[in-house]
C-alpha cells in the first residue's frame, strides 16, 4: 500500500508522535471532514499533542518532588476526554483560549505550535 507523500513526510518528521496519537491512539476516533467542529477538535488535539511531545510531556510534573503525570486540575493530556478538559487548558465555546503549563517543569525549545491557536489570549509557562 502506497502512502501519500504528505503523510509519509509527517510520519517521518518531528510531528510523528502527535500524528501517531491522532491516527492510532486517540480513543475519541474523530473523523475528519465530518463537520467544522470535529475538524477544529482534531486540529486542537494535534497541536496540543505536538506541544506535549516537544516539551517532554510524559515527564511533566506539578513540582520537582512529584512523580510524572500528577496534575493539579483537569485530566491527563492525551486522554479520551475533550482537550478542553485537559489540565491547564481553558476553552471558550470549545476553542482553546488559555494554556497554563506553569509548574510543569518544561524543558526544550518553545514550540511554534502555540501560534496555532488564533484565539489564545493567555499563555502561562512560568
Amino acid at each position: 500500500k502506497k502512502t501519500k507523500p504528505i503523510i509519509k513526510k509527517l510520519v517521518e518528521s518531528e510531528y510523528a508522535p502527535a500524528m501517531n496519537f491522532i491516527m492510532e491512539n486517540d480513543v475519541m476516533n474523530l473523523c475528519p471532514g465530518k463537520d467544522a467542529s470535529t475538524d477544529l477538535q482534531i486540529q486542537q488535539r494535534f497541536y496540543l499533542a505536538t506541544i506535549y511531545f516537544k516539551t517532554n510531556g510524559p515527564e511533566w510534573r506539578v513540582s520537582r518532588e512529584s512523580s510524572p503525570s500528577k496534575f493539579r486540575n483537569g485530566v491527563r493530556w492525551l486522554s479520551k476526554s475533550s482537550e478542553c478538559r485537559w489540565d491547564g487548558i481553558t476553552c471558550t465555546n470549545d476553542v482553546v483560549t488559555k494554556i497554563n503549563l506553569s509548574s510543569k517543569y518544561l524543558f526544550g525549545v518553545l514550540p511554534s505550535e502555540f501560534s496555532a491557536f488564533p484565539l489564545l489570549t493567555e499563555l502561562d509557562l512560568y
Side-chain angles (χ1 to χ4, degrees):
K1 181 177 170 181
K2 283 192 166 187
T3 305
K4 292 183 179 184
I6 187 71
I7 299 295
K8 184 175 183 193
K9 192 173 186 178
L10 282 171
V11 168
E12 295 173 351
S13 75
E14 63 186 325
Y15 298 104
M19 282 297 291
N20 186 58
F21 165 69
I22 292 295
M23 296 174 69
E24 303 292 333
N25 299 322
D26 190 353
V27 295
M28 287 194 79
N29 294 319
L30 298 168
C31 182
K34 180 181 175 187
D35 55 48
S37 175
T38 301
D39 288 348
L40 174 66
Q41 191 171 17
I42 292 168
Q43 290 172 6
Q44 291 185 149
R45 290 175 80 79
F46 172 76
Y47 286 118
L48 289 170
T50 300
I51 290 166
Y52 177 83
F53 288 114
K54 284 186 170 183
T55 60
N56 200 32
E59 295 299 318
W60 285 354
R61 300 167 188 270
V62 174
S63 71
R64 287 191 175 106
E65 294 77 34
S66 68
S67 61
S69 75
K70 294 265 185 185
F71 295 105
R72 293 174 299 190
N73 305 301
V75 297
R76 184 178 58 80
W77 279 46
L78 309 187
S79 70
K80 64 183 178 180
S81 295
S82 164
E83 66 279 9
C84 293
R85 295 192 59 226
W86 292 355
D87 188 56
I89 301 299
T90 302
C91 295
T92 302
N93 298 322
D94 298 322
V95 177
V96 174
T97 55
K98 297 178 184 178
I99 300 175
N100 182 344
L101 300 178
S102 63
S103 302
K104 294 280 188 246
Y105 296 93
L106 306 178
F107 63 89
V109 176
L110 184 66
S112 63
E113 285 73 24
F114 286 111
S115 66
F117 300 95
L119 299 180
L120 190 67
T121 59
E122 186 177 313
L123 175 61
D124 190 352
L125 301 175
Y126 182 72

